[in-house]
Amino acid sequence: MTIRRPPQLRTAEQVRDYLAQVFPGREFSLLQSRYAWICREILTPAEIAEGTDLGLASYAVDKQTRVVTTQSSLALTTVGEMYDAAIETGTPIQAEQVYPPLNRLTLQQIRHDPETIEYLVTVESMAATPPTREDLNLTIDKVTLEATPYTPLAPMVAARAAWSRQRNGTWPTTETFEV
């Protein structure tokens, strides 16, 4: 069996089409480096007036793998130079992968009281072969959104549960999402 690699992202148009799948409804300015396309979101005048542009991060879209990672708010040329240097020297890229997602998280409400809500969180790693699965109990303070015990995914779980509560008017009893 032959595994087909996705085609390389060679043109700005290909990158824009790809980013439209990853970030629907957003537009990006692009800069091509040797190994990636460096991108920054184009903000609306209202977003700029709100100060959203201060410290606005960029993204790198690897030309070979199509992996999208967050990058710093430095100039796009600087980010591109740093990305290329890391690839050429074999240095790990200091970034968080945004796409494709690495994990699928499923929340199942166990109990709640006026101050806290507890979830059984099932974490399925989609990056491992074969995929791995881990369960953990997570308690979220309904006011501060502090989650215990702390894990690297705990803040995301708390933010997602709070977002669902805000959107639907109630804390979710079950929810699945990818990060």
Side-chain angles (χ1 to χ4, degrees), residues 95-147:
E96 184 175 328
Q97 183 170 325
V98 176
Y99 187 84
L102 297 172
N103 298 294
R104 178 176 294 120
L105 284 75
T106 302
L107 312 181
Q108 183 66 49
Q109 188 181 119
I110 298 172
R111 64 165 193 82
H112 70 94
D113 59 42
E115 291 84 31
T116 63
I117 188 159
E118 185 177 350
Y119 288 102
L120 171 64
V121 180
T122 301
V123 180
E124 294 176 83
S125 172
M126 301 185 310
T129 306
T132 59
R133 183 181 169 132
E134 179 183 349
D135 290 333
L136 66 112
N137 284 23
L138 198 64
T139 302
I140 301 170
D141 181 296
K142 291 180 176 179
V143 175
T144 66
L145 300 183
E146 183 177 324

Side-chain angles (χ1 to χ4, degrees), residues 4 9 13 38 47 52 61 64 76-78 82 96 107-108 135 137 141-142 146 149 156 169:
R4 296 184 68 203
L9 297 170
E13 184 178 340
I38 310 304
E47 290 170 323
T52 307
V61 182
Q64 291 274 339
L76 295 183
T77 53
T78 304
M82 292 168 60
E96 184 175 328
L107 312 181
Q108 183 66 49
D135 290 333
N137 284 23
D141 181 296
K142 291 180 176 179
E146 183 177 324
M156 270 186 256

Side-chain angles (χ1 to χ4, degrees), residues 16-136:
R16 287 190 206 302
D17 290 346
Y18 186 64
L19 288 171
Q21 297 170 35
V22 178
F23 303 104
R26 303 305 302 188
E27 290 186 40
F28 291 85
S29 57
L30 302 176
L31 173 81
Q32 184 174 199
S33 74
R34 286 187 299 282
Y35 300 99
W37 288 88
I38 310 304
C39 317
R40 183 159 293 132
E41 209 171 325
I42 297 172
L43 301 177
T44 65
E47 290 170 323
I48 293 170
E50 292 171 359
T52 307
D53 58 329
L54 298 174
L56 184 63
S58 57
Y59 298 95
V61 182
D62 191 281
K63 290 179 180 179
Q64 291 274 339
T65 65
R66 296 177 162 235
V67 168
V68 180
T69 55
T70 59
Q71 301 292 319
S72 73
S73 61
L74 295 172
L76 295 183
T77 53
T78 304
V79 172
E81 290 166 0
M82 292 168 60
Y83 191 94
D84 291 345
I87 296 291
E88 290 170 354
T89 61
T91 305
I93 296 169
Q94 299 299 312
E96 184 175 328
Q97 183 170 325
V98 176
Y99 187 84
L102 297 172
N103 298 294
R104 178 176 294 120
L105 284 75
T106 302
L107 312 181
Q108 183 66 49
Q109 188 181 119
I110 298 172
R111 64 165 193 82
H112 70 94
D113 59 42
E115 291 84 31
T116 63
I117 188 159
E118 185 177 350
Y119 288 102
L120 171 64
V121 180
T122 301
V123 180
E124 294 176 83
S125 172
M126 301 185 310
T129 306
T132 59
R133 183 181 169 132
E134 179 183 349
D135 290 333
L136 66 112

Side-chain angles (χ1 to χ4, degrees), residues 11 58 168:
T11 68
S58 57
N168 301 319

